[in-house]
């Protein structure tokens, strides 16, 4: 191993000095909040960074709980090749050998990389350079494809480049904020707080979303449109603007082209307000109000997110939004513009280096005149990839066909997150070599890996990220690397060196990678790209360490360098002629309406999304029990009418099956279905259900929302249609339900250990708690609980209570006076106590006689059950809040004064206000 590799590892092993604050960035959503970390004796203390422009000191509940996730549990600490732990040189040699062989036997296109918006820009840069520049494969795509690639394509069609013109300050300056397909309150909480904090008389907020989400708390008008009709809504707006003299004709004449075609298309979709109202299933009055507000408000921001992007027509929807901004000249001006909100912390950074298969590097496309030669020269590439590669869904199709021999997956979990994930797992099984570099040892994807490489985790990594407002920030390591973990860029470089490309891969540290990336953007800028970091290309190591957040493009000025808050405000765009394009778009639908249901069946449209306190597939947030207290298991949100039609009650288990799923599915253990409890709520539209995206097979037997999604993608962006699946809905027949809690010291238990002769375990969901691991269980048949209890509890229970006639069973395993494990069984409709109290019984304290009696009764002894947690920071339950309201608390402030709820990060304020407004069932 050469000295460059060794020195990098040593650099990262040092960690931060105790007591010294380190400025870094939150690793979750695209808001990209700055944090400050103090490494104290009790562990890292995390707070918002008041100097960071994105959050100005705020953090949401996920960011605030980051310290809880910095645990060694579940880390991958050693490279593994074919199931054996090996030293790094062996692992690097194995990766290099397999890449070399695949290229030699099947050509460069037989190797592929699938990257992640969790990677740092430096990681992405080295991976992209290795793949496209030196292995010659164009197949480099990223999970950002699932998140915002439609916004990328829309930006490129309209502006000539993937540029977000504005910045977060615009949502504060705007007099009208339109949130389209965005549950910002949960998905971009700190930006939502900035919108809340800037509320003033006359400022209006319009929410466009089929669901009444927590974001509706801020909305003056909610338009719960029929899914898939956003294009018609914005086409209708374009027509309205034209017909009411609200177009900016000077701006259009001087800076845009394409109005006539776009307007003709819009008129075809939206000939009248009544037609739009019919298509979108909205009241005409509400539409008129929205259109009127938009027409008369120059300072308008339209923030759009996954509800727009994750569609077969996501690019068209994005362009429909951009069209109305161009038509009114509202782009790149203070308080005005379209604002794409990315889901991941570094989706933008990945885009900047060329992490998407259809791009080359530094915002250059393969067909940008002069780009291929310029990049090949810059890299000294022996054989640059010669055209766009396969986008995520197509890439995994190619893997399944056998076209890809080696697939390197870095920092992501496609076995859970890609649509039709059952098929993705099948593809991974067929692939001759799957390499997974990840900080987590066991994911649904790594279970199918041939080679596992231990990656540095957040807190250990050093590099840069770019948030949704083009703001580049440093992520700084403050913890030493554990075991053999290494930064991702280091692994890609080590493989490049092993393949004989050491001359081009001599990065001593992440600063060196950044300098090269910044220099390449200078080449791109000469070819007309707006992305330009070349002013940072000569940063010293110390400068890089000190680098403050800055929005690109970065320019030199007499006092150093300066960022750029807004782009295109002068009406000059990144197209060859400098004019923006209005793009003609029409409504396109992907799926048949629910009427496809056969007699006796109910088929509903499935929407997917996020929970407030979880992130992606929970590999990190699932480590924080306080975050799981908000929603301990996934729930299927359903309108009361649909619940009645299907015979489901609140909390009952339902099963959703894809209409095209064969009985038993492709693999009997992997039928395309989701099983979860139902949450009945009028926040859902009738005919539609909502399923969260977070639960993987590590947590639940059947809760992969991606199983319900088809592989349909947007024809322009390749982004999957993750917001519109279809599912047959039916109650899940069960004979019993149970709660199992095992103290961590009782060792692991897995649902796969359920004995075959004890009926069917039809549902299981794991919820880690503060003291224990717990499971929600339900099944069919009549298990012999007395026999089963010993297996489930990890030993013979000391306390047992059985009431066969009532279908109740209790068993408690003790170690001296302390509880080690508890099993509570009830009939399907019976009540089981809340988990917080149960978990408290496993806290190590000696159990009093009275507590034993309550435990066997399966009920908390004193006071009302706190109910599901609403405020995660202070662990305040819904029932406690309702009780305080009964006692006179009638404002958020009085609830905060009584219970402390809502007084820390503020993420729960929309739910508190919904409870105060009597909307206990408001969706998330
Ligand atoms: Fe992290 Fe929350 Fe900020 Fe997003 S809003 S970056 S999750 S602290």
């Amino acid at each position: 191993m050469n000295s460059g590799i060794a020195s990098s590892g040593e650099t990262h092993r040092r960690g931060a000095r105790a007591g010294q604050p380190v400025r870094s960035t939150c690793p979750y959503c695209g808001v990209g909040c700055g944090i400050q970390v103090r490494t104290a004796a009790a562990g890292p203390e995390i707070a918002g960074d008041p100097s960071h422009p994105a959050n100005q000191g705020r953090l949401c509940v996920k960011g605030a709980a980051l310290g809880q996730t910095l645990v060694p549990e579940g880390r991958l600490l050693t490279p593994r090749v074919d199931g054996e732990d090996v030293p790094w040189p062996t692992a690097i040699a194995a990766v290099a050998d397999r890449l070399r062989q695949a290229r030699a036997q099947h050509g460069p296109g037989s190797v592929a990389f699938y990257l992640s918006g969790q990677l740092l820009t430096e990681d992405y840069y080295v991976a992209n350079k290795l793949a496209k520049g030196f292995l010659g494969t164009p197949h480099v795509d990223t999970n950002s494809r699932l998140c915002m690639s439609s916004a990328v394509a829309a930006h490129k069609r309209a502006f000539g480049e993937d540029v977000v013109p504005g910045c977060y300050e615009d949502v504060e300056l705007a007099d009208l904020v339109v949130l389209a397909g965005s549950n910002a309150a949960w998905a971009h909480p700190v930006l939502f707080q900035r919108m809340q904090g800037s509320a003033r008389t006359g400022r209006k907020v319009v929410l466009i979303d089929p669901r009444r989400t927590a974001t509706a708390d801020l909305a003056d008008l909610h338009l719960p449109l029929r899914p898939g009709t956003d294009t018609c809504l914005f086409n209708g707006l374009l027509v309205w603007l034209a017909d009411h003299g609200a177009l900016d004709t000077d701006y259009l004449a001087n800076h845009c082209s394409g109005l006539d075609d776009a307007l003709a298309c819009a008129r075809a979709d939206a000939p009248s307000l009544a037609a739009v109202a019919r298509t979108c299933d909205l009241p005409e009055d509400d539409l008129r109000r929205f259109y009127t507000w938009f027409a008369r408000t120059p300072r308008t921001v339209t923030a759009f997110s996954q509800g727009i992007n994750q569609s077969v027509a996501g690019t068209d929807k994005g362009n429909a939004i951009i069209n109305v901004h161009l038509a009114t000249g509202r782009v790149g001006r203070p308080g005005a513009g379209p604002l794409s909100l990315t889901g991941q912390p570094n989706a933008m950074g990945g885009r900047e280096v060329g992490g998407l298969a259809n791009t080359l590097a530094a915002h250059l496309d393969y067909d940008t005149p002069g780009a291929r030669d310029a990049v090949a020269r810059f890299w000294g590439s022996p054989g640059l990839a010669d055209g766009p590669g396969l986008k995520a869904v197509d890439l995994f199709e190619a893997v399944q066909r056998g076209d890809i021999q080696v697939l390197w997956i870095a920092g992501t979990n496609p076995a859970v997150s890609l649509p039709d994930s059952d098929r993705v797992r099948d593809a991974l099984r067929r692939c001759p070599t799957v390499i997974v570099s990840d900080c987590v040892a066991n994911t649904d994807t790594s279970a199918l890996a041939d080679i596992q490489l231990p990656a540095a985790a957040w807190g250990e990594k050093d590099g840069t990220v770019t948030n949704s407002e083009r703001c580049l920030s440093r992520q700084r390591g403050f913890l030493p690397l554990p075991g053999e973990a290494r930064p991702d860029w280091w692994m890609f470089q080590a493989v490049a060196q092993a393949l004989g490309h050491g001359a081009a891969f001599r990065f001593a540290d992440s600063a060196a990678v950044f300098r090269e990336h910044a220099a390449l953007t200078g080449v791109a800028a000469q070819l007309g790209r707006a992305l330009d970091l070349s002013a940072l290309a000569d940063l010293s190591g110390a400068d890089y360490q000190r680098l403050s957040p800055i929005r690109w493009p970065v320019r030199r000025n007499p006092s150093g360098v300066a960022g750029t808050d807004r782009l295109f405000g002068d009406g000059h765009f990144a197209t060859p002629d400098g004019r923006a394009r209005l793009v003609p778009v029409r409504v396109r639908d992907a799926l048949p309406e629910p009427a496809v249901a056969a007699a006796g069946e109910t088929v509903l449209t499935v929407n997917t999304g996020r929970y407030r306190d979880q992130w992606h597939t929970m590999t990190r947030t699932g480590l924080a029990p306080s975050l799981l207290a908000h929603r301990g298991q996934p729930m299927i949100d359903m309108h009361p009418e649909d619940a009645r039609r299907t015979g489901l009650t609140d909390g009952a288990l339902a099963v959703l099956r894809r209409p095209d799923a064969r009985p038993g599915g492709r693999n009997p253990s992997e039928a395309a279905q989701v099983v979860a409890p139902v949450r009945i709520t009028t926040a859902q539209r009738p005919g539609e259900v909502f399923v969260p995206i977070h639960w993987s097979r590590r947590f639940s037997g059947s809760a992969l929302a991606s199983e319900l999604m088809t592989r349909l993608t947007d024809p322009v962006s390749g982004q999957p249609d993750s917001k519109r699946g279809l599912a047959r809905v039916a109650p899940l027949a069960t004979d019993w339900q149970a709660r199992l809690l095992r103290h961590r010291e009782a060792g692991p238990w897995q649902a796969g250990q359920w004995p075959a002769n004890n009926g069917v375990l039809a549902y299981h969901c794991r919820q880690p708690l503060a003291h224990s691991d717990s499971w929600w269980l339900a099944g069919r048949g009549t298990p012999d609980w007395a026999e089963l209890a010993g297996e489930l509890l990890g030993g013979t229970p000391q306390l047992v209570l059985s009431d066969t006639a009532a279908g109740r069973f209790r068993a408690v395993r003790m170690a001296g006076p302390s509880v080690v494990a508890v099993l509570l069984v009830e009939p399907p409709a019976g009540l089981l106590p809340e988990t917080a109290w149960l978990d408290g019984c496993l806290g190590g304290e000696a159990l009093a006689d009275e507590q034993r009696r309550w435990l066997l009764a399966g009920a908390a002894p004193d006071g009302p059950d706190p109910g599901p947690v609403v405020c995660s920071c202070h662990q305040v339950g819904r029932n406690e809040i309702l009780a305080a309201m009964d006692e006179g608390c009638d404002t958020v402030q009085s609830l905060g004064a009584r219970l402390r709820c809502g007084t820390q990060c503020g993420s729960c304020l929309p739910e508190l206000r919904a409870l105060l407004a009597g909307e206990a069932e408001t969706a998330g």
Side-chain angles (χ1 to χ4, degrees), residues 26 28-29 31-33 59-60 62-63 189-190:
C26 173
Y28 294 125
C29 82
V31 178
C33 296
L59 286 182
C60 78
K62 291 188 285 288
V190 165

Side-chain angles (χ1 to χ4, degrees), residues 566-760:
R566 296 176 186 84
L567 283 161
F568 308 145
D570 59 358
H572 187 83
F573 293 87
T575 52
D577 62 4
R579 299 171 78 89
R581 310 270 187 264
L582 281 84
V583 180
V585 288
R586 294 287 307 271
V587 171
R588 279 186 291 115
D589 260 350
L591 296 167
E593 290 301 313
V596 294
E601 281 183 340
T602 303
V603 175
L604 302 179
T605 302
V606 182
N607 192 354
T608 64
R610 295 162 192 244
Y611 278 171
R612 188 191 75 190
D613 292 4
Q614 292 305 326
W615 175 254
H616 281 194
T617 58
M618 289 168 47
T619 50
R620 191 183 292 121
T621 47
L623 297 168
S626 72
L627 296 180
L628 273 162
H630 178 237
R631 297 278 166 91
Q633 54 183 336
M635 284 179 278
I636 299 168
D637 286 3
M638 183 180 289
H639 190 273
E641 277 178 26
D642 295 319
R644 259 194 309 278
R645 278 201 293 154
T646 47
L648 283 158
T649 53
D650 203 50
L653 287 166
V655 56
L656 306 181
R657 282 194 189 87
R658 263 177 48 179
D660 59 348
R662 294 187 300 277
R666 293 178 191 86
N667 172 337
S669 66
E670 294 184 346
Q673 66 176 35
V674 163
V675 176
V678 164
R679 196 174 79 112
I680 297 178
T681 168
T682 56
Q684 278 301 120
R685 285 168 51 95
E688 297 164 19
V689 289
F690 173 83
V691 183
I693 60 170
H694 308 293
W695 272 262
S696 67
R697 289 188 189 280
R698 291 180 61 227
F699 287 91
S700 179
S702 297
L704 293 185
S706 52
E707 294 255 298
L708 300 176
M709 298 299 143
T710 66
R711 281 169 288 120
L712 292 169
T713 56
D714 180 292
V716 183
S717 69
Q719 180 150 359
D721 192 17
S722 305
K723 294 288 186 188
R724 282 197 77 200
L726 287 178
R728 293 194 182 99
V729 182
L732 182 79
T734 57
D735 298 313
W736 55 266
Q737 56 163 329
R739 290 289 279 137
L740 170 65
L741 286 85
R742 289 163 59 109
H743 195 277
R744 296 212 198 290
E745 287 169 15
W749 179 79
Q750 290 181 351
Q753 295 170 238
W754 188 266
N757 61 346
N758 267 296
V760 174

Side-chain angles (χ1 to χ4, degrees), residues 239-331:
V239 172
W240 176 277
L241 295 169
D243 292 350
H244 290 78
L247 298 180
D248 186 335
T249 49
D250 285 348
Y251 185 87
L252 284 162
N254 293 325
H255 303 298
C256 304
S257 55
L259 173 68
D260 291 346
D261 286 349
L263 194 52
C265 243
R267 284 195 191 285
D269 250 1
S272 66
L273 196 69
V276 177
R278 264 196 312 280
T279 302
C280 299
D281 192 21
L282 292 170
E284 270 186 57
D285 284 348
D286 285 354
L287 266 182
R288 187 177 296 107
R289 195 176 323 156
F290 167 46
Y291 288 179
T292 306
W293 288 351
F294 195 102
R296 74 178 186 208
T297 312
R299 296 214 294 187
T300 294
V301 166
T302 303
F304 62 102
S305 193
Q306 273 77 342
I308 295 294
N309 296 335
Q310 292 180 329
S311 159
V312 285
T315 308
D316 284 354
K317 291 177 183 178
N319 281 114
I321 289 169
I322 294 171
N323 282 350
V324 294
H325 277 270
L326 289 171
T328 49
R330 298 173 191 164
V331 176

